[in-house]
């Protein structure tokens, strides 16, 4: 038994926390609307800077709009890969995998940041830190969403692709100008068991002082 986890309380929360995995392939079974609502509500229970709750979510249904999003983002991704030196064929294969993940998820949630209700400072340094606090707040909400999904038996994957082409996401989805796309969360019922993940030893990630 792993000494780092053997004393972990045997409670449902820890089963959810330690059992969650990223899943990228989903079956055709739809997510019931009431389940999706619970997941989004759980996301909004996250802590946030100044209790500003700067997260905003867009739920994109399967269909023409999501296909257009996948195509437009895929075109930008392919350009970047080829510019980085990848062959056209390899770039297209990688882009197609990404497109299929977006198209075939039962639900696609776009997590956005708005600075509307965050503090404003006269100097650039503190204002940049305020935006970083907003990003952290949105990330906390996304983590809540992932854990809630696993608790509901719904598989999920956090994708940072919108960070590389926010203007494409904003244009295709007609987002308000102050909504900054931060991440995708694909959701669905797993088409295959998730892979185990390798974690570094706990001691290699922690320092104790004092």
């Amino acid at each position: 038994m792993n000494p780092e986890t053997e004393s972990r309380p045997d409670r449902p929360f820890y089963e959810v926390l330690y059992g969650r995995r990223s899943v990228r392939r989903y079956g055709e079974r739809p997510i019931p609307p009431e389940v999706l609502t619970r997941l989004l509500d759980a996301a909004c229970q996250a802590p946030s800077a100044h209790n500003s709750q700067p997260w905003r979510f867009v739920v994109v249904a399967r269909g023409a709009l999501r296909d257009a999003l996948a195509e437009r983002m895929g075109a930008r991704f392919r350009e970047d890969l080829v510019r980085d030196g990848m062959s056209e064929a390899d770039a297209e294969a990688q882009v197609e995998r990404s497109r299929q993940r977006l198209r075939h998820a039962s639900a696609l949630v776009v997590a956005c940041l708005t600075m509307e209700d965050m503090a404003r400072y006269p100097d650039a340094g503190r204002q940049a830190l305020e935006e970083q606090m907003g990003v952290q707040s949105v990330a906390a909400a996304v983590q809540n969403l992932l854990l809630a999904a696993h608790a509901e038996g719904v598989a999920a994957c956090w994708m940072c692709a919108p960070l590389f082409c926010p203007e494409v996401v904003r244009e295709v989805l007609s987002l308000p100008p102050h909504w900054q796309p931060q991440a995708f969360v694909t959701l669905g019922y797993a088409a295959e068991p998730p892979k185990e993940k390798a974690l570094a030893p706990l001691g290699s990630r922690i320092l104790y002082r004092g």
Side-chain angles (χ1 to χ4, degrees), residues 42-104:
C44 294
Q45 304 306 309
S48 62
H50 326 303
N51 192 32
S52 56
Q53 303 164 52
W55 45 71
R56 300 291 187 270
F57 297 103
V58 185
V59 180
V60 187
R62 280 176 173 165
L65 185 62
R66 200 194 298 182
D67 289 346
L69 181 63
E71 285 299 324
R72 289 279 304 278
M73 292 184 69
R76 175 66 63 83
F77 189 22
R78 186 191 303 105
E79 290 174 5
D80 290 341
L81 292 174
V82 172
R83 190 181 301 114
D84 291 342
M86 185 177 288
S87 71
E88 291 278 357
D90 288 344
E92 178 55 31
Q94 187 165 334
V95 168
E96 182 59 21
R97 286 192 295 270
S98 181
R99 280 195 296 248
Q100 294 307 317
R101 289 171 185 169
L102 293 185
R103 285 174 171 154
H104 294 304

Side-chain angles (χ1 to χ4, degrees), residues 143-165:
Q143 176 70 344
N144 270 21
L145 177 57
L146 295 176
L147 292 176
H150 185 58
E152 293 271 3
V154 176
C157 186
W158 182 340
M159 301 171 64
C160 294
L163 293 175
F164 295 89
C165 53

